[in-house]
């Protein structure tokens, strides 16, 4: 399974944008890039996913590099509720939906 | 809709005891998954069921069995619990077992094996 690399932790100020990076240099052409987040003592929550083009939804935006070897999750205005562990995951089409979680990035949001 | 529900929320077992973790979803999803999460780690896939009537091993299946009882329910059984199985267990479901489908997770079961 393709590996992703994320910083262990990041800090942000409330109401400022946050850019969470992810490197996935061994990505294959059919791998989808997924982002999930996990709030303390809760199950993971889907955030966004994409294949080649940038994606936007009500929670966040996903910017995918042209060569697809990296991506960035963008939270446009961080709130205290966005403090969580964010996981960048590659989902292979051959994996029948399996998600391989890494250690993720712990995001702290300061008031 | 309740989404994905799991029972029990907490459980303490002694080494060698058995138990079954229950999971149900009310979203009419075809695929269901069991993960475990050890402290400070990401989730690891134990077993999954791509559709009713099928089950397959994930990354860490040893010491576990699963049953896809019907489309709604997917249970995880520990036949002889070991301290190494102390973990938080999450069940998830998705519309189909495809790489572009999002998964919906339950709240988890915290299991301690003494």
């Amino acid at each position: 399974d393709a590996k992703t690399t994320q910083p262990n932790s990041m800090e942000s100020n409330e109401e400022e944008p946050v850019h969470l990076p992810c490197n996935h240099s061994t990505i294959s052409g059919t791998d989808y890039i997924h982002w999930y987040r996990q709030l303390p003592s809760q199950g993971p929550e889907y955030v966004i996913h994409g294949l080649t083009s940038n994606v936007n939804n009500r929670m966040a935006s996903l910017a995918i590099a042209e060569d697809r070897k990296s991506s960035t999750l963008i939270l446009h205005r961080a709130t205290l509720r966005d403090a969580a562990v964010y996981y960048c995951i590659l989902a292979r089409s051959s994996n029948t939906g399996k998600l391989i979680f890494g250690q993720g990035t712990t995001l702290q949001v300061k008031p | 809709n309740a989404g994905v529900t799991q029972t029990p929320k907490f459980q303490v077992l002694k080494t060698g005891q058995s138990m079954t973790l229950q999971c149900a979803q009310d979203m009419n999803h075809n695929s269901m998954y069991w993960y475990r999460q050890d402290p400070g780690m990401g989730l690891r896939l134990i077993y999954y069921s791509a559709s009713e009537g099928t089950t397959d091993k994930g990354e860490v299946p040893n010491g576990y069995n699963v049953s896809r009882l019907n489309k709604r329910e997917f249970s995880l059984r520990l036949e002889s619990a070991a301290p190494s199985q102390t973990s938080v267990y999450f069940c998830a479901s998705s519309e189909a077992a495809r790489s572009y489908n999002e998964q919906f997770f339950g709240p988890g079961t915290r299991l301690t094996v003494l």
Side-chain angles (χ1 to χ4, degrees):
Chain A
D1 294 300
K3 184 176 167 56
T4 62
T5 304
Q6 300 177 253
N8 287 335
S9 62
M10 292 184 64
E11 287 184 357
S12 173
N13 294 319
E14 199 175 10
E15 299 190 5
E16 290 185 356
V18 183
H19 290 233
L20 295 162
C22 180
N23 286 321
H24 29 78
S25 57
T26 58
I27 191 170
S28 76
T30 55
D31 288 349
Y32 277 81
I33 303 162
H34 285 249
W35 284 82
Y36 283 75
R37 71 180 186 182
Q38 188 173 22
L39 279 64
S41 300
Q42 294 190 24
E45 173 188 31
Y46 168 81
V47 178
I48 200 166
H49 78 276
L51 183 61
T52 56
S53 303
N54 294 346
V55 184
N56 300 299
N57 66 20
R58 65 175 179 80
M59 288 182 70
S61 295
L62 175 60
I64 301 172
E66 197 169 332
D67 64 5
R68 301 213 320 130
K69 292 182 186 292
S70 66
S71 61
T72 302
L73 179 70
I74 303 165
L75 307 179
H76 296 286
R77 284 181 74 240
T79 68
L80 296 178
R81 194 192 172 279
D82 291 323
V85 179
Y86 286 79
Y87 296 100
C88 170
I89 300 164
L90 298 184
R92 293 237 137 121
S93 60
S94 61
N95 278 2
T96 63
K98 289 189 290 185
L99 299 176
I100 306 298
F101 285 78
Q103 293 200 308
T105 296
T106 300
L107 176 66
Q108 293 182 324
V109 180
K110 298 179 181 177
Chain B
N1 288 347
V4 178
T5 57
Q6 294 183 235
T7 56
K9 286 187 168 52
F10 300 93
Q11 184 70 48
V12 179
L13 293 178
K14 294 181 180 177
T15 297
Q17 288 185 316
S18 62
M19 77 162 294
T20 300
L21 282 66
Q22 306 286 355
C23 174
Q25 51 89 12
D26 62 1
M27 297 172 280
N28 200 34
H29 283 169
N30 290 297
S31 304
M32 298 185 73
Y33 308 82
W34 275 106
Y35 295 86
R36 62 176 285 175
Q37 185 174 33
D38 299 327
M41 306 285 288
L43 282 69
R44 290 184 292 170
L45 183 65
I46 305 171
Y47 271 95
Y48 67 101
S49 171
S51 60
E52 188 179 354
T54 69
T55 60
D56 285 289
K57 295 178 181 179
E59 298 175 80
V60 288
N62 290 346
Y64 305 95
N65 287 303
V66 290
S67 296
R68 183 74 183 267
L69 304 171
N70 48 54
K71 192 172 185 180
R72 288 188 64 246
E73 298 171 289
F74 188 38
S75 63
L76 179 72
R77 183 160 178 84
L78 287 69
E79 289 292 350
S80 178
S84 61
Q85 294 178 304
T86 293
S87 191
V88 182
Y89 291 85
F90 291 101
C91 177
S93 71
S94 65
E95 187 174 331
R98 296 285 181 264
S99 57
Y100 49 78
N101 283 131
E102 65 183 275
Q103 292 187 17
F104 295 80
F105 286 81
T109 294
R110 298 183 189 287
L111 175 67
T112 301
V113 182
L114 302 175

